[in-house]
């Protein structure tokens, strides 16, 4: 079944034309954007690898699904399709749609976290941690140490270090831990999977302590693909079955369906506990919309339920991760330092090693992303000290070990030639990396600063 190369199991039916820019135009654009790639206009970008979120190409079936939108305020047919797809593919009985992942994170955090609680997780994600903090909680990182080491080739860098979980419960007590939050294919670690062995150990630990297990399932299909390839006993299981098994081990899920499920907007909170579902329905009407649409149009729920089915297809995910690995291998073969193993949704060039002359306080990854855009029109995202933000109590900068840029590949959008151009741009960049200058803030937003911060060169 998976013997062919990673070539795509689809052909192209419509294309979107791109504008080509000159280096002078891009130089002006990145200065105007305060050296922050989030502040560029997308029409000035050639190959947009900022994020895989909401940027994927829908299939003809999904587009056809849009025409079947039932835009009733209450009880839309498309809601029931979505609910059934979530139960069929992801196991969860109750689904509350939200406008995107962070809407679900908000509701989950408000429902379960009390002032002074601790929420352990396998590495932070920006919006997830902020919602936990806004609800009065403190995030505690319990991922294995290897996840913080760009050069470790551990096959499951998303695994949980059980000793860290034990230490937390000894220190604060189980009653201060409302849930453990496990992400599949950990974004900030470089798109690194958690093994089923580790997830089962966390499940047993949660049962022992009477603590709930929540699942950030944003990239669960990519995680399942790595389990199929790397975890003993799963080589003959389908991605669909592995996805189901992962979800079935957890109690609650938050989903940004803008990633795996290949829609441009949408998400949900899903769970098995009817009492929790009742609470979630009460909250969703305040922040998102009625519990049968939660901030999504009927048509978008339809496209999502179709996208869920497409996302767990073995051939799809093989091509998806294959393309990411193709780019990663080209960079690695050219001697460019990247986070290893190559992740599921993106390649993460290591700014620490590419720009050893720039101290972390001068934002080497931010500077690298700006320069990549300037020379090539390829847009990446900083994933280092700027993204990590400040400690909510001390106000000090978090200083993550991983200081990277993220070349994030949208699903079903770019071709192998686009990957080649990106690799060539990174190789050009590496050749003059020693001339790149660090940056300093001219504007630093208080929350999620990476989105809107502005910089100038030091
Ligand atoms: N969890 C993970 C692991 C994510 O990667 C994201 C979003 C979210 C939650 C929040 O979901 O954006 O739909 O509200 N990640 C995007 C990214 C923004 O570029 O990595 P959202």
């Amino acid at each position: 079944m998976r013997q062919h190369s990673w070539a795509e199991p689809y052909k192209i039916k419509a294309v979107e034309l791109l504008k080509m820019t000159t280096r002078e135009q891009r130089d002006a654009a990145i200065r105007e954007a305060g050296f922050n790639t989030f502040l560029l206009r997308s029409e000035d970008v050639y190959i947009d690898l900022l994020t895989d979120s909401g940027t994927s190409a829908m299939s003809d079936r999904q587009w056809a699904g849009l025409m079947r939108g039932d835009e009733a305020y209450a009880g839309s047919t498309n809601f029931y399709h979505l609910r059934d797809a979530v139960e069929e593919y992801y196991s969860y009985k109750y689904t509350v749609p939200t406008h995107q992942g962070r809407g679900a994170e908000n509701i989950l955090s408000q429902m379960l976290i009390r002032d002074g609680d601790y929420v352990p997780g396998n590495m932070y994600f920006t919006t997830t941690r902020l919602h936990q903090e806004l609800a009065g909680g403190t995030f505690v990182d319990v991922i294995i140490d290897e996840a913080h080491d760009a050069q470790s080739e551990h096959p499951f860098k998303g695994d949980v270090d059980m000793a860290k979980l034990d230490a937390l419960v000894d220190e604060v007590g189980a009653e201060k831990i409302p849930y453990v939050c496990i992400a599949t294919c950990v974004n900030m670690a470089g798109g690194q999977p958690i093994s089923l062995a580790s997830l089962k150990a966390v499940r047993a630990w949660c049962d022992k302590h009477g603590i709930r297990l929540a699942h950030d399932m944003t990239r669960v299909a990519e995680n399942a693909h790595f389990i199929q390839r790397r975890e003993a006993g799963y080589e003959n299981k389908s991605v669909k079955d592995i996805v189901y098994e992962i979800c079935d081990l957890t109690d609650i899920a938050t989903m940004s369906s803008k990633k795996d499920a290949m829609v441009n907007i949408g998400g949900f909170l899903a769970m098995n506990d009817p009492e929790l579902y009742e609470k979630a329905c009460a909250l969703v009407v305040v922040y998102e919309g009625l519990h049968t649409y939660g901030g999504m149009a009927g048509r978008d729920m339809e496209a999502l339920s179709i996208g869920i089915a497409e996302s767990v297809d073995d051939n799809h995910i093989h091509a998806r991760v294959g393309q990411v690995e193709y780019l990663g291998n080209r960079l690695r073969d050219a001697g460019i330092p990247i986070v290893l193993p190559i992740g599921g949704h993106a390649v993460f060039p290591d700014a620490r090693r590419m720009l050893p002359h720039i101290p972390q306080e001068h934002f080497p990854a931010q500077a690298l992303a700006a320069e990549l855009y300037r020379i090539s029109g390829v847009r990446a995202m900083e994933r280092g000290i700027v993204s990590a933000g400040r400690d909510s109590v001390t106000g000090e900068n978090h200083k993550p070990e991983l200081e990277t840029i993220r070349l994030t590949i949208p699903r079903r959008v770019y071709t192998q030639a686009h990957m080649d151009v990106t690799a060539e741009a990174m190789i050009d960049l590496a050749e003059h990396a020693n001339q790149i200058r660090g940056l300093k803030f001219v504007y630093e937003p208080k929350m999620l600063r990476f989105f809107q911060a502005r910089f100038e060169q030091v």
Side-chain angles (χ1 to χ4, degrees), residues 51 53 100-102 105 125 127-128 187 216 218-219 256 258-259 381 406:
T51 177
S53 181
Q100 58 183 72
R102 67 198 72 181
E105 291 171 345
F125 183 71
T127 57
T128 319
N187 190 355
D216 180 342
T218 296
R219 297 183 181 83
S256 168
K258 300 169 73 174
K259 283 81 164 175
M381 177 192 293
R406 190 181 73 177

Side-chain angles (χ1 to χ4, degrees), residues 70-80 82-83 95-100 103 107 267-269 271 277-298 301:
D70 168 9
E71 307 306 341
Y73 188 88
S76 160
T77 308
N78 313 118
F79 164 72
Y80 294 101
L82 172 60
R83 188 197 66 179
T95 299
V96 178
T98 57
H99 76 285
Q100 58 183 72
I107 292 170
F268 56 79
L269 178 67
M271 67 219 95
Y277 176 59
E278 216 179 290
K279 276 193 192 164
C281 288
L283 274 178
V284 76
V285 291
V286 182
Y287 294 102
E288 304 282 325
L290 192 71
H291 64 287
T292 56
Y293 75 87
M296 292 181 79
M301 291 191 282

